[in-house]
Amino acid sequence: MNRIKIIPLGGMDEKGNSCISLEVNEKIYILNAGITFPTSNVLGIQGTIPDYSYFEEKKDKIAGIFIGSPYQENYGSLLQLLKTIHSNCPVYTTSLNAVIIKTGLSVTDDKTINFSIIKPMEEIKLGNLKITPFKVTNSLPKSVGFVFEIDEEKNVIYIDNNIINITKNKFLTNDLLNIVPLIGGKQNILLITPSGVFNNCFTSPNFTANQYFKDLLIENSNLRISFAFFTSDIYRIVALLNASLSVDPRKPIYISNPGVIELLKAMSQEGYLNYDKFKFITAQEITASDKPLLIIVDEKECIYDTLIEITDDEIDEISYDEKDMFVFGSSTINGLEKKEADLFDNVNRLDVAKAIKIDKKILDVVPSSEDLKFMIAFTMPKYIIPTYGLYMNFSKLEDVGIRVSKIYSENTIIPQNGQVLVFDDFALQVEQEIIPLTPQFVSSHGNLDSNKNSILERKQMQSDGAVLISFLIDKTKKRIIKNNYDVVGVTDNSEKSVKSLNVIKEETLSEFNKYVEAKIDSNELDEKDTKDFKIFIRKLISKKFRKEFDKDPLVVTTVIFIKNK
């Protein structure tokens, strides 16, 4: 009897954080190691990642990590995962995917990640399991899905983003017809991402942008045009490059992201484009070039800040004026609308000739509801399980599955993070364990902590500021002999605010001294136990600041005792 466990460790009702533990007869196959970025700046937090503590005592059972589509949502915490398990664990992905992952994680040492390079339709054998990667079509050139052959009659199929496309363009081909012998007439579990499920048409051909970019370049040939893209929009970037090549083969082109340059070189080696045909220039050559094409590329969470730096004239080589046209070439991200609006405000203040967004009719290269219907009908799964996304997308996916393949709603499984789905001989077991998971917060320096309150405290500091208080208490004199009382980000510097703040300091300091004297007299306060005193400080400070400033700052306290003879 084959026993399968499918455990999402992240990604359920999240925009990213994708990680699924696929366990087949005690062997573990990890699908993705993602990250989620906050939609607004949260002090000290770069993002959240899955809780990998589940793997700590199962290291010897892990067969490998599989990354099919190298979006940061799928690989952003790979280094943290490798630290948790073992750094030499093989990471199965394609050659171009490996380039994207290495540059995205700023990895320069080839030994940091043990990539096991795979090719579409070349079978991998790990123990008794056969795994076949197959090419899928999305915005990244060599993305793959995986067929895990459980036995001769059963498969687990993993597909991230895949659109149905019939073009012969090498960038956009897929291997769906090639996997028919592997999945046809068999029982399948389908793991799929329902990212574009609310788009009610086929994505293809509505994602093609070549003609749009050609027309834009021709109509505005008298201007220097600056485009901005997310790093995941490689298809659009390549479409723009090809359009530029057809309009003006000698057009100077600047790309801001070195990782994209490396990817284009790797794509050229594999026949996706001819890198040498383009006239790429460095940042130092921009000023001396005649109307160069500028392409600013960064991650979704960074692109707006990068562009704001340009509009604020903080980057020496690039500045915008009335001879420039600005085009934001990526789609609006939910939660980042304000950042985008602020960016366009900044650009328009510079009196640029034009500032526009890419036409809404050009869809992202992600599966629509029609693409998902096709994939469900094509694989005819016994069970459908979403890989990551919001619950509203999962609910829509369930509706699509019922209408297309007539599977029952209970066969579209919408788990929560940590829920252990157990299948014995492909029959879902009723009793299901829930693994307790703790959010992991990371900064640019790596893991911060797993305390649930840490992100709340950082949000509190961002919105209401902080009060930092330190006391030196003389136990002989029974009073505070020295204090440091810093207030950060709570008030402005107006005369009224400063006066109110001084009154609060005097009043609270008096209250603190009364507390210290009373507690020392009754032997209820000593250097070994200051917990109650710190609670008293926080409550009093919060009460005063709420009343005076309508703010509830984070209160950080330090208490030190001395005893003078």
Side-chain angles (χ1 to χ4, degrees):
M1 179 180 71
N2 288 309
R3 167 162 281 202
I4 301 170
K5 291 183 181 179
I6 297 175
I7 311 169
L9 298 177
M12 296 299 109
D13 205 25
E14 297 180 283
K15 296 178 180 179
N17 247 15
S18 174
C19 182
I20 289 179
S21 175
L22 171 61
E23 304 182 17
V24 183
N25 299 332
E26 300 300 316
K27 277 293 182 182
I28 297 175
Y29 308 84
I30 302 174
L31 303 173
N32 298 333
I35 192 169
T36 294
F37 297 102
T39 54
S40 59
N41 292 328
V42 181
L43 194 60
I45 296 295
Q46 183 196 34
T48 61
I49 66 173
D51 182 355
Y52 294 129
S53 60
Y54 173 74
F55 296 125
E56 287 179 352
E57 297 181 0
K58 303 176 184 294
K59 298 176 184 179
D60 59 330
K61 296 181 179 181
I62 298 173
I65 303 165
F66 296 78
I67 300 176
S69 296
Y71 300 105
Q72 279 218 328
E73 295 92 329
N74 291 341
Y75 74 79
S77 61
L78 177 59
L79 297 180
Q80 286 86 352
L81 172 59
L82 290 173
K83 286 179 184 178
T84 303
I85 49 177
H86 48 87
S87 59
N88 203 42
C89 180
V91 178
Y92 294 90
T93 195
T94 63
S95 55
L96 293 183
N97 289 357
V99 172
I100 294 173
I101 293 168
K102 284 173 61 178
T103 55
L105 296 176
S106 301
V107 171
T108 56
D109 186 350
D110 288 340
K111 296 180 181 179
T112 302
I113 302 174
N114 179 23
F115 285 113
S116 184
I117 301 302
I118 58 177
K119 294 181 179 180
M121 299 310 300
E122 288 192 4
E123 185 182 276
I124 308 163
K125 289 186 178 180
L126 291 178
N128 295 324
L129 201 67
K130 297 178 182 178
I131 306 162
T132 303
F134 60 95
K135 192 174 184 305
V136 296
T137 303
N138 58 40
S139 64
L140 302 173
K142 209 169 183 181
S143 295
V144 292
F146 297 97
V147 177
F148 294 84
E149 187 178 330
I150 308 304
D151 58 34
E152 293 182 355
E153 298 179 352
K154 304 177 184 70
N155 299 304
V156 174
I157 305 169
Y158 169 81
I159 301 174
D160 198 339
N161 284 335
N162 179 60
I163 68 168
I164 307 308
N165 179 64
I166 59 173
T167 179
K168 294 183 179 180
N169 183 327
K170 184 177 181 179
F171 193 115
L172 303 169
T173 57
N174 61 61
D175 283 322
L176 294 186
L177 292 179
N178 294 329
I179 65 170
V180 170
L182 299 176
I183 67 173
K186 300 181 182 180
Q187 294 187 66
N188 299 312
I189 295 176
L190 177 63
L191 303 174
I192 192 166
T193 304
S195 49
V197 69
F198 285 98
N199 294 334
N200 295 318
C201 63
F202 277 106
T203 301
S204 179
N206 302 298
F207 68 93
T208 55
N210 297 59
Q211 191 60 48
Y212 172 82
F213 288 137
K214 275 186 187 179
D215 294 342
L216 202 64
L217 294 171
I218 292 170
E219 291 169 10
N220 300 281
S221 59
N222 61 320
L223 300 172
R224 185 181 72 170
I225 307 179
S226 177
F227 285 84
F229 295 99
F230 302 141
T231 49
S232 57
D233 280 325
I234 296 300
Y235 170 76
R236 285 186 182 175
I237 294 170
V238 171
L240 173 60
L241 290 173
N242 288 330
S244 175
L245 192 65
S246 65
V247 172
D248 182 358
R250 300 310 301 159
K251 166 72 78 174
I253 301 171
Y254 167 72
I255 296 180
S256 66
N257 192 311
V260 173
I261 292 291
E262 291 304 309
L263 176 61
L264 293 175
K265 290 178 180 178
M267 289 175 64
S268 182
Q269 292 175 359
E270 298 205 14
Y272 286 90
L273 52 81
N274 189 336
Y275 182 87
D276 294 331
K277 282 189 176 181
F278 300 99
K279 185 183 178 183
F280 291 112
I281 61 173
T282 65
Q284 291 71 31
E285 295 174 300
I286 291 175
T287 304
S289 300
D290 180 29
K291 295 191 286 291
L293 177 63
L294 307 182
I295 304 176
I296 312 301
V297 188
D298 214 329
E299 300 295 343
K300 295 172 185 176
E301 76 282 0
C302 300
I303 186 72
Y304 299 101
D305 292 335
T306 299
L307 292 168
I308 290 292
E309 287 180 5
I310 294 174
T311 59
D312 287 346
D313 222 11
E314 295 178 16
I315 297 180
D316 294 336
E317 295 84 4
I318 307 174
S319 60
Y320 295 148
D321 57 30
E322 68 280 357
K323 297 178 182 178
D324 286 299
M325 177 179 183
F326 175 76
V327 183
F328 197 88
S330 292
S331 301
T332 302
I333 299 296
N334 291 337
L336 296 178
E337 295 90 347
K338 186 178 185 304
K339 280 195 170 185
E340 187 175 294
D342 290 342
L343 168 63
F344 272 91
D345 283 344
N346 273 30
V347 171
N348 285 312
R349 287 194 191 102
L350 300 175
D351 293 326
V352 296
K354 295 179 182 179
I356 64 171
K357 265 190 70 68
I358 192 169
D359 195 319
K360 290 182 179 179
K361 293 179 181 178
I362 298 175
L363 300 181
D364 290 330
V365 194
V366 296
S368 65
S369 63
E370 296 301 320
D371 295 303
L372 289 166
K373 286 178 186 177
F374 179 92
M375 289 309 304
I376 293 170
F378 176 72
T379 57
M380 290 302 293
K382 182 177 181 180
Y383 299 101
I384 302 174
I385 305 172
T387 55
Y388 73 88
L390 300 180
Y391 276 126
M392 63 178 184
N393 291 20
F394 298 167
S395 179
K396 182 71 171 177
L397 177 66
E398 179 181 25
D399 179 56
V400 169
I402 293 170
R403 286 189 287 116
V404 173
S405 61
K406 298 181 180 179
I407 68 171
Y408 297 108
S409 60
E410 57 263 30
N411 288 34
T412 301
I413 306 168
I414 302 177
Q416 66 187 64
N417 287 331
Q419 185 172 346
V420 182
L421 304 176
V422 180
F423 302 84
D424 287 334
D425 276 342
F426 254 50
L428 178 64
Q429 302 305 295
V430 176
E431 294 185 8
Q432 295 171 7
E433 176 190 358
I434 302 291
I435 299 170
L437 301 174
T438 304
Q440 305 293 303
F441 309 122
V442 295
S443 71
S444 56
H445 304 294
N447 283 10
L448 284 177
D449 54 61
S450 58
N451 189 324
K452 291 181 180 178
N453 293 323
S454 63
I455 197 166
L456 300 177
E457 290 176 352
R458 287 169 172 82
K459 286 182 176 179
Q460 185 179 4
M461 284 190 281
Q462 181 186 0
S463 61
D464 290 353
V467 178
L468 313 175
I469 301 179
S470 58
F471 291 136
L472 186 63
I473 298 175
D474 188 328
K475 292 190 71 175
T476 304
K477 295 181 179 180
K478 302 177 185 179
R479 64 182 297 101
I480 299 166
I481 60 173
K482 190 173 182 181
N483 72 86
N484 191 36
Y485 204 131
D486 292 327
V487 179
V488 182
V490 181
T491 70
D492 54 31
N493 292 320
S494 67
E495 185 178 342
K496 181 180 178 182
S497 294
V498 172
K499 185 176 179 180
S500 298
L501 192 56
N502 288 333
V503 170
I504 289 176
K505 286 182 177 181
E506 290 178 10
E507 291 177 350
T508 53
L509 195 56
S510 175
E511 292 288 334
F512 296 149
N513 266 316
K514 290 178 183 178
Y515 181 97
V516 168
E517 185 176 355
K519 293 297 181 180
I520 291 178
D521 279 341
S522 59
N523 293 318
E524 295 179 27
L525 179 65
D526 61 50
E527 55 267 40
K528 294 181 181 179
D529 186 9
T530 59
K531 181 179 178 181
D532 289 341
F533 183 35
K534 289 181 177 180
I535 292 173
F536 175 75
I537 293 171
R538 285 195 289 269
K539 285 184 176 179
L540 185 60
I541 290 291
S542 297
K543 180 180 178 182
K544 294 285 186 181
F545 276 79
R546 278 197 300 268
K547 181 178 179 181
E548 186 64 34
F549 299 111
D550 194 26
K551 291 278 187 83
D552 189 12
L554 180 70
V555 182
V556 182
T557 60
T558 303
V559 178
I560 302 172
F561 287 87
I562 64 169
K563 190 172 184 179
N564 289 322
K565 296 181 179 179

